[in-house]
Amino acid sequence: MAAQEPLITKTDKSFRDALTSVDDKGERVFFHPKKPKGRYWNARKIVSYVLLALMFSGPFIRVNGHPFMLFNLLEREFILFGVAFWPQDFKILVLGFITLVVFIVLFTAVFGRLFCGWICPQTIFMEMLFRRIEYWIDGDYVAQKKLAAADWNAEKIRKRGIKFAIFFAISFFIANIFLAYLVGSDELFKMISEPLSQHAGSFVALVLFTGVFFFVYWWFREQACTIVCPYGRLQGVLLDRNSLNVAYDFVRGEPRGKHGRNRDESLGDCIDCNQCVVVCPTGIDIRNGTQLECVNCTACIDACDEVMDKVGKPRGLIRYASENSIVAKVRKVFTPRVVIYSALLGILLVLFGYLLTTRTITETSILRARGQMSVLQADGSVKNLYMVKTINKSFDALEVSYVLREPVGRLQLVGQNFTVPPQGYREGAVFVILEAAQLTAPQVPIIIDIVHNGEVVETVKTSFNTSSTN
Ligand code: SF4
Ligand code: SF4
């Protein structure tokens, strides 16, 4: 169900046709939002400290000497929560991704853009790191506007210079962390300690990432959420009137009117002070209803609560609420849409759990050797040659053996032991020998167990060819 027009009646809907960050001439409009303060701001600061600590330490956390998280796309090496995944685990990764998408859709249908305001790295870096440094260097919004409008003088050059240097240094630091997620912390430390010429690719990536981060936080800013982020752009179809959002209670607030001694009693609680607008980092007026630009940062909730405290009205004129809860005063969570998404998510989780728990630590292919005929032996038995390839998905070397489970027969490994290196593979050959009496069809199905430490770690089915026996 698509998000509908807000129930609030507003004659000027021009805000729906234009981005706040672009003016009539198509030029960039920079916002200088007022520094937020309040209970949500304080809570978000704590959450962001925890998330920043996790984000920055992620690539350096090791479990049994191996990375906890790694997304090495080039070498197709993925480690999630200490478990290594190979390209052969593609179906698990794809199913995991689909499950995640359904979870996001369900989460958004119920909780709106809670993720954007509290967890999204873009919001955390922008609002909790770079913006706060900006307040520290340039001052609050009034001073920032003045500085932006001022001619280039010694003060402006000094402040812009300091800001440039700090923003660049943090961008460089974030780029290092990002790179560590991609190539691993070992490779990152090598790049730092060894001659750059030996790590030219990683260095180019580092320069590129630094440039992108700097560009985003220096200039592009909230446009990453409104123009680039696919999640932001999908809000129109993900949200409905029952989704929880940062919302203005227009039933209570309208008709708005200025605060004063002779204020008309028939007016709503909104005193039209504009504090919710000046504090908004995306430059919107939340009183116009849910908008694409709103990242649910809660700054307007805090600003309005402070105003309500001052005028002696209850807090929560702007709050987390669904549009239907504002109008009908009931919060409906289990809508048909939510029930369907929940059922789908349940099915996907069961499937995903099944694939994860039945995932083997090896991946073996056993194929009959090309151009090799079946050989009739002197004792009447028949033998076929097979090429085997075993991939070791674990972090330890595995000594494996191959055991013919069905039908009863013999299996001979060409060579001695078969040790597969950690996160590597080993190829070899085996003979399968069956008695002539067992060859009841041109293709006899056979089952081979791959055994490690006396335990069957994988089972492979193939067939025994009898048609070209000589
Ligand atoms: S901060 Fe509250 S009272 Fe002031 S304009 Fe916004 S909604 Fe109205
Ligand atoms: S409208 Fe409120 S919650 Fe939305 S981005 Fe602006 S300040 Fe944040």
Side-chain angles (χ1 to χ4, degrees), residues 246 276 279-282 284-286 293-301:
V246 171
C276 51
V279 83
C280 178
T282 64
I284 59 168
D285 185 343
I286 192 65
E293 291 94 333
C294 176
V295 291
N296 276 222
C297 74
T298 70
C300 54
I301 300 183

Side-chain angles (χ1 to χ4, degrees), residues 3 36 38 40 46 54 65 77 142 161 179 201 206 214 229 233 271 277 293 307 326 346 390 416 457:
Y40 281 104
I46 294 168
L54 285 175
E77 207 183 333
V142 178
L179 192 65
L206 183 66
F214 182 77
C229 175
R233 299 196 71 89
I271 61 165
V277 180
E293 291 94 333
V307 174
I326 289 172
T390 294
Q416 285 303 304
V457 290

Side-chain angles (χ1 to χ4, degrees), residues 375-409:
V375 179
L376 180 61
Q377 302 198 104
D379 62 359
S381 62
V382 178
K383 80 174 175 183
N384 270 343
L385 179 64
Y386 292 84
M387 304 312 296
V388 294
K389 179 179 176 182
T390 294
I391 293 169
N392 178 359
K393 299 184 206 167
S394 77
F395 292 116
D396 305 306
L398 296 179
E399 190 158 326
V400 295
S401 54
Y402 303 89
V403 177
L404 184 62
R405 187 202 292 184
E406 277 179 30
V408 177

Side-chain angles (χ1 to χ4, degrees), residues 248 270-276 287 304 307-308 317-318:
Y248 166 64
C270 175
I271 61 165
D272 210 8
C273 64
N274 236 27
Q275 287 307 297
C276 51
R287 292 173 299 169
C304 191
V307 174
M308 291 296 108
L317 181 56
I318 300 175

